């Protein structure tokens, strides 16, 4: 069964460093999302991406964050200058159609630890 | 903005018990997701339902769109069912998910 993959599974970085989290969505999917979950808290929406551009972003997704689909298969989340509070689990998700009743498929997550 | 509430927050059961987890949301939606998160952190989609009831193995999900309420039931619970169960509502033109806080289920042998 096709699945969403994410790399790395765990990233440790120093505060102020740039990190790039990578995702490979399911190949025929059209909508892509990044969510994050700070330890002990609920999952939060960061950004959605459709037709090669950001379609919606949350208040969390400030200028330090960016997303890209550089080669038609990978979907990346970049954090330019990490802060301690960026430590969280980051999930990529994708779905196939543009309707409300589509299942979103989640990747296994990248655990980001900022020291 | 949709508020998604789940209850209970924590649930401990003995193997074989029937489990019910509840979810309510504040803004009308066309479908609701139930997800499972294991201790390692990965999220698996269990159900997406827009009306009535869906069944997958020992898992049953029901939804009442008018009352803005959904339930997830587990029959004959087993220790391997121990996980966090999360409901999530899609919203907006991009169907981003708003998540509940999750219910931590522990099933003891």
């Amino acid at each position: 069964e096709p699945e969403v993959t994410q790399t790395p599974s765990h990233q440790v970085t120093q505060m102020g460093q740039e990190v790039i989290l990578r995702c490979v969505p399911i190949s025929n999917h059209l909508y892509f999302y990044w969510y994050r979950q700070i330890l002990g808290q609920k999952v939060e929406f960061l950004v959605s991406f459709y037709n090669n551009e950001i379609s919606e972003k949350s208040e969390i997704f400030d200028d330090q964050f960016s997303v890209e689909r550089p080669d038609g298969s990978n979907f990346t989340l970049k954090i330019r200058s990490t802060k301690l509070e960026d430590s969280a689990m980051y999930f990529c998700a994708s779905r196939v159609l543009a309707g409300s009743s589509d299942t979103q498929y989640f990747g296994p997550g990248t655990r980001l630890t900022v020291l | 903005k949709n508020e998604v509430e789940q209850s209970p927050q924590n649930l401990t059961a003995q193997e074989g018990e029937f489990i019910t987890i509840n979810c309510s949301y504040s803004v009308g939606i066309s479908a609701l997701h139930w997800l499972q998160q294991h201790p390692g952190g990965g999220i698996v989609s269990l159900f997406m339902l827009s009306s009535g009831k869906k069944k997958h193995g020992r898992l049953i999900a029901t939804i009442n769109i008018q009352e803005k309420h959904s339930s997830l039931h587990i029959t004959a619970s087993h220790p391997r069912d121990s996980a966090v169960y999360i409901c999530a509502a899609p919203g907006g033109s991009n169907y981003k998910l708003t998540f509940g806080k999750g219910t931590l289920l522990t099933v003891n042998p």
Side-chain angles (χ1 to χ4, degrees):
Chain A
E1 185 177 320
E3 58 183 17
V4 178
T5 59
Q6 289 185 243
T7 54
S9 56
H10 192 186
Q11 172 103 39
V12 181
T13 190
Q14 294 290 327
M15 191 169 57
Q17 296 295 304
E18 174 183 287
V19 294
I20 297 176
L21 310 183
R22 291 182 168 81
C23 169
V24 179
I26 296 173
S27 62
N28 63 335
H29 284 191
L30 300 177
Y31 261 90
F32 314 110
Y33 305 83
W34 283 102
Y35 297 92
R36 79 169 185 191
Q37 185 180 34
I38 294 171
L39 187 64
Q41 297 186 22
K42 61 182 177 181
V43 181
E44 306 170 283
F45 166 76
L46 289 177
V47 65
S48 61
F49 192 85
Y50 173 69
N51 205 23
N52 286 320
E53 61 183 21
I54 291 174
S55 51
E56 188 173 352
K57 58 184 180 180
S58 71
E59 294 169 354
I60 304 166
F61 195 89
D62 61 23
D63 292 343
Q64 293 299 312
F65 291 89
S66 62
V67 288
E68 251 191 345
R69 194 145 190 258
D71 55 13
S73 61
N74 290 286
F75 180 48
T76 62
L77 174 69
K78 183 193 291 186
I79 310 175
R80 286 190 187 80
S81 178
T82 50
K83 306 182 188 71
L84 295 176
E85 54 264 37
D86 294 327
S87 294
M89 193 79 161
Y90 288 81
F91 293 101
C92 171
S94 69
R95 66 182 174 91
V96 58
L97 290 174
S100 63
S101 56
D102 305 325
T103 297
Q104 289 190 25
Y105 293 85
F106 285 82
T110 293
R111 186 173 300 281
L112 176 65
T113 303
V114 182
L115 303 175
Chain B
K1 181 182 173 187
N2 212 344
E3 301 291 334
V4 179
E5 301 290 337
Q6 283 185 241
S7 63
Q9 273 192 286
N10 292 281
L11 183 55
T12 300
Q14 288 299 121
E15 185 173 354
E17 284 185 6
F18 181 81
I19 303 293
T20 296
I21 299 170
N22 294 300
C23 175
S24 60
Y25 48 93
S26 58
V27 177
I29 55 173
S30 55
L32 186 89
H33 297 252
W34 280 100
L35 308 151
Q36 181 190 57
Q37 186 173 33
H38 276 283
I43 293 175
V44 174
S45 182
L46 296 174
F47 293 103
M48 191 284 305
L49 69 165
S50 54
S51 66
K53 180 166 77 173
K54 280 192 176 179
K55 186 172 187 289
H56 182 72
R58 294 178 295 105
L59 300 178
I60 303 167
T62 63
I63 190 168
N64 186 318
I65 292 288
Q66 286 74 29
E67 293 188 6
K68 300 187 181 65
H69 181 269
S70 177
S71 294
L72 177 68
H73 307 284
I74 305 175
T75 61
S77 58
H78 190 276
R80 64 173 174 266
D81 297 326
S82 298
V84 175
Y85 292 85
I86 305 171
C87 65
S93 57
N94 298 291
Y95 307 115
K96 66 178 186 290
L97 294 178
T98 299
F99 292 78
K101 288 185 179 177
T103 295
L104 174 60
L105 172 65
T106 304
V107 182
N108 295 316

